[in-house]
Amino acid sequence: TDGPQKLDFIDASDPTNVMKLCLRLNASVTNNIDFTIYNGIDMTTVAWGKYDLPGWTKGQSHCIQVSLDTSDTSKRHAFIDGVDVTSTSSTNWANYNNLNIPWSRATKAIIGEDFNYGDKLGGSLGEYWVDNSYIDLSTDNPFWDSVANKPKPVSQVISETGTTPIIAMPLRADDAGNNLGSGGDFTVNSGPYTGARGGSEFWA
């Protein structure tokens, strides 16, 4: 589809409580990628970062990875299309607080749109991975195939690393709620979708 797409993860027991927002990732109309992680209780920011996306145009596919350990400011990384961009922007990591990220708490997460329904990702979402363990992307990026110069499918990353994350979604249209991670499958509240492929398959 040519229209904006998003993933809006909502706690089924409290579907309207955006104050439980834990993770937000969106590409804004000002051509940057913007991510925020909240404490999931009162919207206190744990970490916030922004990276410029110069030259990105319609019809392209891109791959983004962010990893961080809030107890150590040297343990934060951002990679775009296999390239380390951690220190490329004066606006990145504007907030970085030594706070816990409440992965065990029932939270709301939005990928592809601001939580107040502002900027939307003007494109299609590919695969999605979230875990509560730190990965030093600067020494080993398990999500990127440097030989083929393309992202690895989440199923391949699970197989090669032996890690089962909280969320690992291939995001295939024929099984949009399928989660290969430990957090369980999702209930899809829109659709059905036809003809779409997972992000790494599309890239290939």
Side-chain angles (χ1 to χ4, degrees):
T1 174
D2 291 331
Q5 294 183 351
K6 67 176 181 177
L7 287 178
D8 196 340
F9 299 103
I10 299 175
D11 174 12
S13 66
D14 190 4
T16 62
N17 191 353
V18 298
M19 295 304 288
K20 290 183 178 179
L21 187 71
C22 183
L23 174 66
R24 175 172 61 86
L25 173 67
N26 72 294
S28 81
V29 293
T30 54
N31 204 28
N32 56 61
I33 192 73
D34 186 329
F35 62 90
T36 313
I37 301 171
Y38 301 93
N39 68 347
I41 301 172
D42 58 6
M43 298 296 283
T44 297
T45 300
V46 177
W48 174 81
K50 178 184 289 187
Y51 286 91
D52 296 331
L53 306 176
W56 284 31
T57 61
K58 184 177 179 179
Q60 297 178 339
S61 295
H62 297 280
C63 182
I64 300 163
Q65 289 102 34
V66 175
S67 68
L68 54 90
D69 179 343
T70 58
S71 67
D72 186 343
T73 57
S74 69
K75 294 181 177 180
R76 53 190 188 188
H77 312 282
F79 276 68
I80 298 178
D81 296 340
V83 177
D84 189 345
V85 297
T86 305
S87 302
T88 61
S89 171
S90 61
T91 57
N92 61 356
W93 307 110
N95 290 330
Y96 202 79
N97 300 303
N98 187 10
L99 299 170
N100 289 328
I101 302 171
W103 301 113
S104 62
R105 181 182 297 276
T107 58
K108 177 183 175 70
I110 297 178
I111 310 303
E113 184 177 63
D114 202 347
F115 74 88
N116 60 359
Y117 307 104
D119 293 335
K120 297 180 178 65
L121 173 67
S124 300
L125 293 169
E127 300 191 347
Y128 180 59
W129 174 292
V130 171
D131 199 19
N132 58 356
S133 59
Y134 169 72
I135 299 174
D136 187 352
L137 294 174
S138 65
T139 60
D140 179 28
N141 186 348
F143 307 101
W144 186 261
D145 186 334
S146 58
V147 176
N149 199 36
K150 65 181 182 181
K152 296 179 181 179
V154 291
S155 57
Q156 181 179 345
V157 178
I158 291 173
S159 175
E160 291 180 351
T161 64
T163 298
T164 302
I166 298 172
I167 301 174
M169 299 185 73
L171 292 178
R172 293 185 57 95
D174 55 2
D175 193 8
N178 182 23
N179 176 22
L180 303 177
S182 62
D185 290 339
F186 289 86
T187 299
V188 180
N189 293 308
S190 59
Y193 309 103
T194 58
R197 294 172 289 174
S200 59
E201 181 187 0
F202 176 78
W203 192 296

